[in-house]
Structures are given as structure tokens and as C-alpha cells.
Amino acid sequence: MAAIDDLKTLLLQDISQLETLAEILGREKSCLANSDLRQLEILTKEKNDLLDAVRERAKQKIRTLVQMGYRPESGEPSRFIRAAGFSELFGLWQEAEQNLRTCQTLNQTNGRVISHLQKRLSTLTDIFRGATGHQKLYGAKGQQTTVSGSTVLASA
């Protein structure tokens, strides 16, 4: 079947590009640690290009699965592939999912590093402004905001 071969090709491309993405995320963490903004900018562009390709291929995979008889409302595609008896495709699908989970974990780690760097910058900014002894409030997303003596919280 041509659809099976198409899906296999798409999955192999996913696996390859997700491995590349994991490598980029590792280099991104190093750039964050070393404050290498130039290299970080280059990596961000590469990362975004890879993510765009993965997203586009996800749409292609769903279209191909639908051609094979898959119905999106019937559950996860991996169950359909396994139930249809396509063991090679199922193995590739599992490998692609594992690579995706690895990338998600690496991205979350980088997000925590960025959050830590933002908190450090905020603390340094408060020190420069002389606002280190002032009270702090938390915003809706958990970010801290310094409240100076001249800040009006409410008026009657």
C-alpha cells in the first residue's frame, strides 16, 4: 500500500528531525548557561524551522492515516496502527513519540533555566532601582512585582 509507505517515510523523517531537535535543545541549554546570545539566536531559528516541519508532517500523517481507514474520533493513531497489525509502523510511531517526549523534557529544562535567569535579572533590576526592601506581589502567572511606597493599589 502506498499510504503505508508514505506514513513510514513521514515517521522516519520525524525520528530524524526530532533527534536533531534534541541536539539543538542541548546546545541551547549550553548557550543559556554561557549567555551566548548570538548562537542562541541561530539555534532558535533552527529550532523553529524544525518545529514547523514537524507540525506540517503531523498534518500529513493524519491525512495518510485517514486514507488508511483511521477515524480521528476513534482514539489515538497508535492504537489504530497496532490494531491494524502494522508492527513496523507501530515501532516507528513509538520511536517518534519517545523522541518527542525527550524533546519536551529538554525544552522544559531550558524553560526552567530561562525562568531562573529572568528571576535573577528581576532581582538585579530591583537592586539597581533601590527597591530591594520593598514588598513584592505575585501576578497571575506567578511572576513577582515590587511594590514601592508610591504605588497605589486601590483608591476609594
Side-chain angles (χ1 to χ4, degrees):
M1 285 177 86
I4 294 172
D5 292 335
D6 291 345
L7 185 57
K8 182 179 176 181
T9 301
L10 293 170
L11 288 169
L12 288 170
Q13 288 172 345
D14 271 354
I15 290 166
S16 174
Q17 285 194 325
L18 288 169
E19 287 171 353
T20 302
L21 181 59
E23 179 185 311
I24 289 172
L25 290 167
R27 288 187 292 168
E28 181 181 62
K29 183 179 177 185
S30 176
C31 288
L32 289 168
N34 297 321
S35 299
D36 187 352
L37 297 180
R38 237 176 251 180
Q39 185 64 27
L40 189 60
E41 193 174 321
I42 293 167
L43 291 175
T44 300
K45 180 169 178 6
E46 288 179 40
K47 183 173 70 169
N48 287 336
D49 290 344
L50 280 173
L51 288 172
D52 288 342
V54 169
R55 284 185 198 107
E56 184 57 38
R57 241 186 338 278
K59 294 174 190 173
Q60 291 173 341
K61 287 187 295 191
I62 293 300
R63 284 192 293 266
T64 303
L65 283 165
V66 167
Q67 288 175 357
M68 294 169 60
Y70 169 70
R71 298 288 168 244
E73 63 275 359
S74 66
E76 292 192 21
S78 59
R79 286 196 306 175
F80 168 78
I81 293 169
R82 187 176 31 163
F86 303 123
S87 58
E88 183 181 8
L89 282 179
F90 183 72
L92 291 172
W93 190 277
Q94 293 295 98
E95 187 176 351
E97 279 188 340
Q98 180 58 44
N99 288 357
L100 182 61
R101 281 192 293 275
T102 299
C103 289
Q104 288 171 333
T105 301
L106 291 169
N107 195 50
Q108 287 172 348
T109 300
N110 290 352
R112 285 192 297 273
V113 170
I114 290 170
S115 176
H116 176 71
L117 291 172
Q118 287 173 332
K119 286 178 186 175
R120 265 185 32 197
L121 180 61
S122 176
T123 301
L124 288 173
T125 303
D126 286 348
I127 290 170
F128 288 138
R129 287 189 293 152
T132 56
H134 296 284
Q135 297 291 329
K136 296 191 185 285
L137 294 176
Y138 288 94
K141 295 184 179 179
Q143 75 276 13
Q144 288 185 348
T145 307
T146 301
V147 180
S148 66
S150 64
T151 303
V152 176
L153 295 176
S155 62

